[in-house]
Amino acid sequence: MGWLTDPFRYAFMQHALLAAVLIGVTCAVLGVYVVQRRMAFVGDAMAHTTLPGLVIAHLWGWSLSLGGLAAAVVTAVAIAWVSRRQQVKEDTAIGVVFTGMFAVGVLLMSRAGSFRDLSHMLFGNVLGVTTQDLYLIAGVTAVVLLTLWLFHKELELTSYDPTHAEVIGLRASLMRLLLLGLLALAVVTGIQAVGVILTNALLVTPAAAAGLLTTSFPRRMLLAAVLSTVCATVGLVASYLLKASSGASIVLACTAAFALAGVVAQVGRRFRPPDLGD
Amino acid sequence: MSDPRFPYSRGRHADPVPDAPALATDRLSVCYPGTDRVALRNVSVRAGRGSRVALVGPNGAGKSTLLKAAAGLLPVAAGGIRIYGNPVGACHHRVAYLPQRGDIDWTFPIPVSRFVLAGRYVHLGWFRRPEASDRAIVTAVLARLGLAALADRQIGRLSGGQQQRALLARALAQEADLLLLDEPLNAVDAETKDIIYAVMADLRAEGKTLVVATHDLGRLTRAFDTIIHLQNGLLVQPPGNDARDTLVNEEAVWAG
């Protein structure tokens, strides 16, 4: 087991592991909603639209996290606002806005000098998290998990039957806005781990893998969190041993977990006695 | 059962106005969502307390629109709706609405029992979790609709008729006084049809008010007190001169 524990002799690796696990769990649990409500595209868009916020914060010497958060919150509100009206289809509007915002970010990047910092934005740098970053990440994890717990029955109901929610006076659009807000928070921390381009993998892949293995909603959340923790650890160790990008390693570990879940689900289906109904 | 501490819809709880009918519309007009196209024009109907009213008519006649407007899902373009004498939304817990099956994401990973439990949410409001009494109501309702053995099954793995019964079970779990049922008998098996008719008879005995949009004309005469015919968004006199005419009584006020 030395190969597994050795890398974590270093403080920066311990910080990185803690950050990656917290971020992974937050994104995976929220991701179960993202996958079930078919919001994967929204998550991807939100990650990409944070780029101009990150670059501007970098240029002006502000906190990158706050810059990214500001851009993500603006995106969340914009998406909620756009989806109220039906003239432009929601995915079309998101497609137009997010590519535009990302292009602004790329243009701003080309005016900024150091590409090294900016490559961290695109591909993440979990090895560089500071103690301050860790506090922020832990705070986001607490807020997201607590909110999901407090509003579980409302988020669940508006996910499968917004009509019934409206009939009993619960506004589905309000719950959607809440979910978009949580998504903005999770995305901003996800960027620290795996960067703008790969953040969506943390939201979608563990949740999708869990979805292959269980049809119970709470168990899906738990399983996604466990898978994400394992993948964050495996990915970090692999990146240390192979001297490869930590973000890409974590994402590939998630992809492998998804493939494995697919195989397990397939095999399980073959050996389970047929469902004869009632 | 106590009132929710933090209701979903704040400060609009109202008691029924004495002697007001369960549902009354007054020259009601409603548009299709997001358009100026009129789906329902100048319709005045009345469902007295404890009555069973059928809304019949071809597709696009306005049956669903009338129910949706009464459930607060569609805005009123002109005229008015009163529920127990109050505006729509003044007493959410008193009105249950059964949507058409297609409005629901049946792939969602919850079991039938949890789906039916959502009928209790209006009594819980924010932050309160379902209690043993809520679960007892769900168990009783599932048994009544022949779903007890399927309580743990994921909702997508039910047959169409079973899904329809699950929807009715949720509406019953709400313990509402006025039930608005949109096509509960559409494309269901004979067993489901029998169960739904039996439940409707029980509801009648309990003094509940039922307003049902239906295509199922075959048993209308037995199951309903009043039949309201709609066509192209207008109230119409019933076609032909058969036994059903005699069932149209003072509870339906025809628009002039």
Side-chain angles (χ1 to χ4, degrees):
Chain A
M1 290 300 275
W3 60 271
L4 184 60
T5 49
D6 277 359
F8 299 110
R9 282 173 306 172
Y10 303 104
F12 79 91
M13 280 298 281
Q14 292 167 10
H15 280 183
L17 180 67
L18 189 56
V21 166
L22 285 174
I23 293 165
V25 167
T26 308
C27 289
V29 174
L30 189 61
V32 174
Y33 275 115
V34 172
V35 167
Q36 189 62 40
R37 294 176 67 133
R38 299 176 183 86
M39 290 169 76
F41 187 53
V42 179
D44 201 30
M46 212 177 273
H48 281 73
T49 52
T50 57
L51 189 64
L54 292 170
V55 178
I56 288 170
H58 173 74
L59 290 174
W60 293 353
W62 294 348
S63 153
L64 289 187
S65 301
L66 290 182
L69 184 61
V73 168
V74 168
T75 310
V77 173
I79 290 173
W81 183 76
V82 164
S83 61
R84 284 189 320 132
R85 310 182 172 231
Q86 301 293 321
Q87 281 143 335
V88 180
K89 289 233 165 59
E90 186 191 62
D91 57 342
T92 308
I94 292 170
V96 170
V97 172
F98 110 63
T99 46
M101 291 273 279
F102 192 69
V104 169
V106 172
L107 270 186
L108 286 170
M109 272 175 74
S110 65
R111 298 189 63 86
S114 149
F115 188 77
R116 204 175 141 272
D117 296 328
L118 298 170
S119 81
H120 289 165
M121 295 176 196
L122 289 179
F123 302 111
N125 180 26
V126 76
L127 300 177
V129 291
T130 62
T131 315
Q132 204 185 348
D133 292 332
L134 264 180
Y135 284 131
L136 184 84
I137 291 165
V140 167
T141 302
V143 167
V144 170
L145 296 185
L146 190 68
T147 309
L148 288 180
W149 181 72
L150 279 176
F151 296 98
H152 176 62
K153 70 181 192 298
E154 290 82 12
L155 285 167
E156 187 183 76
L157 174 61
T158 53
S159 295
Y160 67 81
D161 193 355
T163 304
H164 180 65
E166 296 284 349
V167 171
I168 63 173
L170 170 62
R171 281 177 51 205
S173 57
L174 190 70
M175 296 326 286
R176 186 177 161 80
L177 188 62
L178 179 70
L179 212 49
L180 287 170
L182 296 181
L183 201 53
L185 284 175
V187 156
V188 169
T189 61
I191 287 164
Q192 302 215 4
V194 301
V196 164
I197 294 174
L198 296 177
T199 287
N200 207 31
L202 294 186
L203 285 166
V204 173
T205 313
L212 289 171
L213 298 175
T214 171
T215 54
S216 146
F217 201 61
R219 247 182 285 156
R220 239 180 226 193
M221 287 184 160
L222 188 67
L223 188 57
V226 170
L227 284 176
S228 201
T229 303
V230 172
C231 293
T233 313
V234 169
L236 262 186
V237 170
S239 83
Y240 177 87
L241 295 176
L242 304 172
K243 298 186 173 43
S245 153
S246 55
S249 304
I250 292 170
V251 169
L252 272 180
C254 293
T255 315
F258 176 77
L260 195 62
V263 171
V264 169
Q266 197 68 37
V267 171
R269 209 168 297 139
R270 186 151 305 168
F271 287 101
R272 193 184 305 141
D275 184 4
L276 297 173
D278 293 67
Chain B
M1 170 174 49
S2 56
D3 283 334
R5 190 126 171 236
F6 304 102
Y8 292 131
S9 176
R10 295 196 68 87
R12 297 211 283 161
H13 180 97
D15 288 321
V17 173
D19 302 324
L23 170 69
T25 70
D26 177 32
R27 281 160 292 159
L28 174 69
S29 295
V30 180
C31 295
Y32 286 107
T35 68
D36 297 332
R37 234 151 37 87
V38 177
L40 207 60
R41 189 190 299 277
N42 228 14
V43 168
S44 300
V45 295
R46 212 179 117 92
R49 293 186 193 187
S51 66
R52 291 183 297 180
V53 176
L55 299 174
V56 295
N59 281 333
K63 307 186 296 288
S64 293
T65 302
L66 179 55
L67 293 182
K68 282 187 176 146
L73 294 167
L74 289 175
V76 169
I81 308 175
R82 294 266 144 181
I83 312 277
Y84 292 101
N86 294 308
V88 172
C91 35
H92 283 290
H93 62 283
R94 215 167 280 134
V95 184
Y97 167 77
L98 184 140
Q100 296 197 17
R101 274 208 302 280
D103 294 352
I104 289 156
D105 175 11
W106 295 100
T107 70
F108 201 84
I110 47 163
V112 175
S113 55
R114 177 116 189 131
F115 180 81
V116 174
L117 191 61
R120 303 299 305 158
Y121 289 0
V122 69
H123 301 289
L124 300 171
W126 300 108
F127 309 121
R128 221 165 87 188
R129 301 189 156 250
E131 291 158 17
S133 57
D134 297 307
R135 294 183 195 286
I137 290 169
V138 169
T139 306
V141 162
L142 285 174
R144 191 170 172 189
L145 285 161
L147 293 170
L150 304 174
D152 296 326
R153 185 172 285 196
Q154 194 264 327
I155 50 174
R157 295 180 60 229
L158 299 178
S159 72
Q162 289 163 346
Q163 287 179 347
Q164 196 64 58
R165 279 186 265 156
L167 280 171
L168 185 57
R170 185 177 70 181
L172 293 185
Q174 194 177 327
E175 299 188 320
D177 299 320
L178 169 64
L179 289 98
L180 309 168
L181 313 181
D182 197 356
E183 302 278 6
L185 302 163
N186 200 13
V188 297
D189 52 280
E191 183 198 3
T192 297
K193 212 167 263 188
D194 288 342
I195 292 175
I196 291 178
Y197 272 116
V199 166
M200 281 169 52
D202 290 348
L203 290 170
R204 159 81 166 195
E206 292 166 25
K208 310 276 188 187
T209 310
L210 283 168
V211 181
V212 183
T214 181
H215 276 115
D216 192 37
L217 292 155
R219 288 156 82 169
L220 268 188
T221 47
R222 261 174 46 202
F224 298 98
D225 312 311
T226 306
I227 297 161
I228 293 172
H229 292 264
L230 287 167
Q231 202 157 22
N232 296 322
L234 294 165
L235 275 181
V236 291
Q237 294 293 341
N241 185 24
D242 56 27
R244 274 173 282 152
D245 286 356
T246 60
L247 288 160
V248 176
N249 57 29
E250 71 283 350
E251 278 181 334
V253 180
W254 306 109

